[in-house]
Amino acid sequence: MLVVIGGLMLGLMKSATLQQRVSTLLDTKKLLRRIETEISYKGEEFGGFVRWCGDIDICSKAAQIEGVNPLEALEKAADSALICRKEKELFSDFVRGLGRTGVQGQIGHIELYQGLFDSLLAQARDENAKKSKLYTALGLFSGITVCVLLM
């Protein structure tokens, strides 16, 4: 019986990873919108922004990193928060492009990456919808199969 429960738990953990990916991408989109708002309306320096957006996981992790500039801290925090390598690379490219142009150039840069993260979010949601139940069922049936083989 423990083997069945163990298999089920493995399936549920994999399913939770898919859900966490969707949640993290939603947070990333929220962060991009906030950065866009700050740049377009306040023209606030980016470092101040990282300190007060603690309700977003990436920002709260970045605020805890000391000894580096805010953009580097944000890049390091995203590396630990984002799940897929592709998302990490995309966010890293986004951060490297911030602050390199004027306000309009940065707004365009942010809008470009919002579109790219939108497509990643749609892909993650689709994957979650299709594979979440599959992983749970596979885990359960794997546990049952191992139980039957042990008998």
Side-chain angles (χ1 to χ4, degrees):
M1 184 60 135
L2 289 175
V3 175
V4 174
I5 293 172
L8 177 62
M9 292 305 293
L10 286 174
L12 289 173
M13 287 187 332
K14 183 64 175 173
S15 177
T17 302
L18 293 173
Q19 293 168 354
Q20 179 63 34
R21 180 178 176 217
V22 171
S23 175
T24 303
L25 285 171
L26 284 170
D27 265 1
T28 304
K29 282 190 53 174
K30 186 177 178 182
L31 174 62
L32 293 179
R33 282 193 305 270
R34 285 197 184 171
I35 292 172
E36 180 180 27
T37 301
E38 289 303 308
I39 289 173
S40 62
Y41 293 114
K42 292 183 180 178
E44 183 174 309
E45 189 175 305
F46 191 78
F49 172 76
V50 170
R51 286 188 289 280
W52 65 259
C53 69
D55 63 318
I56 299 173
D57 187 43
I58 295 172
C59 280
S60 62
K61 288 180 180 181
Q64 295 172 359
I65 299 173
E66 308 226 356
V68 296
N69 76 45
L71 290 175
E72 289 176 24
L74 194 61
E75 191 173 351
K76 287 181 180 182
D79 193 50
S80 68
L82 294 169
I83 295 170
C84 293
R85 182 182 54 83
K86 183 177 181 180
E87 295 158 8
K88 291 177 183 185
E89 290 173 357
L90 187 64
F91 192 83
S92 181
D93 291 343
F94 165 72
V95 170
R96 285 188 205 122
L98 279 177
R100 304 246 184 238
T101 62
V103 172
Q104 290 303 321
Q106 288 186 67
I107 298 297
H109 176 75
I110 293 167
E111 288 172 353
L112 170 68
Y113 279 88
Q114 283 176 333
L116 294 172
F117 275 104
D118 279 341
S119 65
L120 284 177
L121 178 61
Q123 179 185 15
R125 283 182 170 154
D126 185 48
E127 191 174 314
N128 184 35
K130 289 180 180 176
K131 294 182 179 178
S132 186
K133 292 177 185 175
L134 173 71
Y135 285 138
T136 304
L138 280 174
L140 178 63
F141 291 125
S142 296
I144 291 171
T145 302
V146 169
C147 245
V148 168
L149 291 174
L150 292 175
M151 291 181 159

